[in-house]
Every structure is written in structure tokens, then in C-alpha cells.
Amino acid sequence: MEVGVFSKCIRELILDHDAVAVPGLGVFTAELMPASFSDHRTTINPPYRELTFRKCDVTPEEGTMLNRFICSEMSVSPEQADVELKWCLSRIHSELEGNRTCTLPGLGAMRSTSQSDYFFVSDEGLDIFPDGFGLEPVSIKAADVKPVKRKAPRRRLHWAIRLLLWLLAIAVIAVGAILLVFPDGFAGFSEFFSGVMDHILYTKEELQLLGR
């Protein structure tokens, strides 16, 4: 079994399970990470699953899930699946001992320390969280808001004063015109206005009856 097939098996299983035990290697674990802030707390990152690895002893019984998946993936018997896995793991161990690294396509890379301890570095942007499909980081940066220029209350006050002065001037002119046209002043204007209204409101016959 090629390393690429091994990586595919781990990836497919980890999508539906929290851990995948590999006899002769260790356990891959997917841990759900909560939403977090970044960029000085101006971006909210959605939750995701982080893939980690722990080197430990794994029994054949604990590796049953992986064995069954290899059987299905490669169409082989459980015994042959076990042989294929051991051959693949021997290659991975060889890479780690010689180069201190072994790439797992589609997942990341296994690394080895000087003490022959193994650890795993996942690919950037590795998506193993089906429930998080479509979730994207959300920016909460405040939009640049320009201050709104308000009009000078003083200007409005000036217009109000001007309007008042114009009305006062019109009233003075009207009073002056009345006094100029009617010698009796407002009494004459009132009589004139009353006569005009009478001719508008009444007929000649009605005016005669009213004695006007």
C-alpha cells in the first residue's frame, strides 16, 4: 500500500470519527477547536477540527476500524490488509529515521525528533470538519464613518429674523396704505371692506331688503 492510500484512509475515517488508531504507529486525533479572534480581535474565525498525532502502542483490536477500511478501499482480505499496512508503515518509519520527515499527501507530514519521537504537522487549511462547510472568517472592523456636517443653527436663526422683519415691514406698509387711502383710517377701511363683501355675498334685491 502506497503512503498516499494510507493518507486517504486516515482522512476518510477522521471525517466521521474523533480518532483513528494505527497499529505499529500511534493514534491520529481530531479535536474540535472553538471560534477564535485574530487580527487584533477584528476577525472572528469559525470553529474547526485540528488533526494531531500521538505515538503510542496500538493493539490489533484497536486497529480493527482501519483494517476494515483498507479492506474496502483495496478490495482485499483482512489478512492482506494487515500485510499492506505493515509494508506501508515500514516505509514511513524508514523515511522518518533517514530524513526525519515523511509526507502524508492530503493530510500533512510526519516528523521525527532526535529522540526518535514522532509528531504530526497538518497541511495549512486542512478541512476535516464537514459540519463547518461554508463557514468563513467574519471581519468586524468598524467601517470608516465620516462625521456628518450639520447646518449652523445661527444661519437658521438669521433666516427666521429676516422673515419676521419682512412680515413686519409688510404689515407697516399695509397700515400706511390704509391710512393713506381712507381718511377715516381703519373705520373707513372696515366700512369699505364690509361694502365689498356685501356685494359679493348678496344680490341687489337682498341688499335693498337689508337697507344697504
Side-chain angles (χ1 to χ4, degrees):
M1 179 172 64
E2 297 294 332
V3 176
V5 177
F6 171 77
S7 298
K8 180 181 178 182
C9 292
I10 299 298
R11 180 184 176 87
E12 293 295 327
L13 287 171
I14 208 68
L15 289 174
D16 298 320
H17 302 84
D18 293 330
V20 178
V22 183
L25 189 64
V27 178
F28 288 90
T29 303
E31 182 179 1
L32 181 61
M33 307 300 292
S36 60
F37 287 98
S38 63
D39 297 334
H40 303 288
R41 301 184 69 83
T42 60
T43 299
I44 301 177
N45 301 300
Y48 66 99
R49 294 175 82 213
E50 182 180 37
L51 184 62
T52 59
F53 172 80
R54 177 172 57 90
K55 183 181 179 182
C56 61
D57 293 331
V58 177
T59 65
E61 290 75 19
E62 292 172 328
T64 299
M65 181 174 65
L66 177 59
N67 181 275
R68 290 176 177 173
F69 194 87
I70 294 173
C71 290
S72 175
E73 184 69 22
M74 302 186 67
S75 300
V76 297
S77 65
E79 294 75 18
Q80 185 62 33
D82 186 56
V83 171
E84 293 288 342
L85 178 61
K86 288 180 179 178
W87 183 88
C88 181
L89 292 179
S90 66
R91 182 175 178 181
I92 291 176
H93 285 299
S94 178
E95 289 284 338
L96 290 173
E97 290 174 4
N99 302 324
R100 299 285 179 93
T101 183
C102 178
T103 301
L104 302 182
L107 286 179
M110 296 287 298
R111 301 286 174 82
S112 175
T113 66
S114 57
Q115 291 77 27
S116 297
D117 191 17
Y118 299 165
F119 64 96
F120 175 76
V121 179
S122 64
D123 285 339
E124 185 176 357
L126 176 64
D127 185 8
I128 53 173
F129 187 31
D131 292 340
F133 177 76
L135 297 179
E136 298 290 342
V138 177
S139 176
I140 55 175
K141 291 182 179 179
D144 295 331
V145 179
K146 296 182 179 179
V148 178
K149 294 182 179 180
R150 298 182 177 179
K151 295 182 178 180
R154 291 182 179 179
R155 184 171 297 179
R156 292 181 179 178
L157 181 60
H158 291 167
W159 276 107
I161 294 175
R162 289 183 179 181
L163 179 60
L164 183 60
L165 291 176
W166 275 106
L167 293 176
L168 182 60
I170 293 172
V172 171
I173 293 173
V175 171
I178 292 173
L179 294 176
L180 181 63
V181 175
F182 302 97
D184 294 337
F186 284 100
F189 173 75
S190 177
E191 183 178 352
F192 171 76
F193 183 76
S194 178
V196 172
M197 293 302 297
D198 286 345
H199 284 81
I200 293 175
L201 298 175
Y202 304 105
T203 63
K204 291 182 178 181
E205 292 76 7
E206 291 174 336
L207 288 175
Q208 290 177 355
L209 291 174
L210 293 173
R212 299 180 182 177

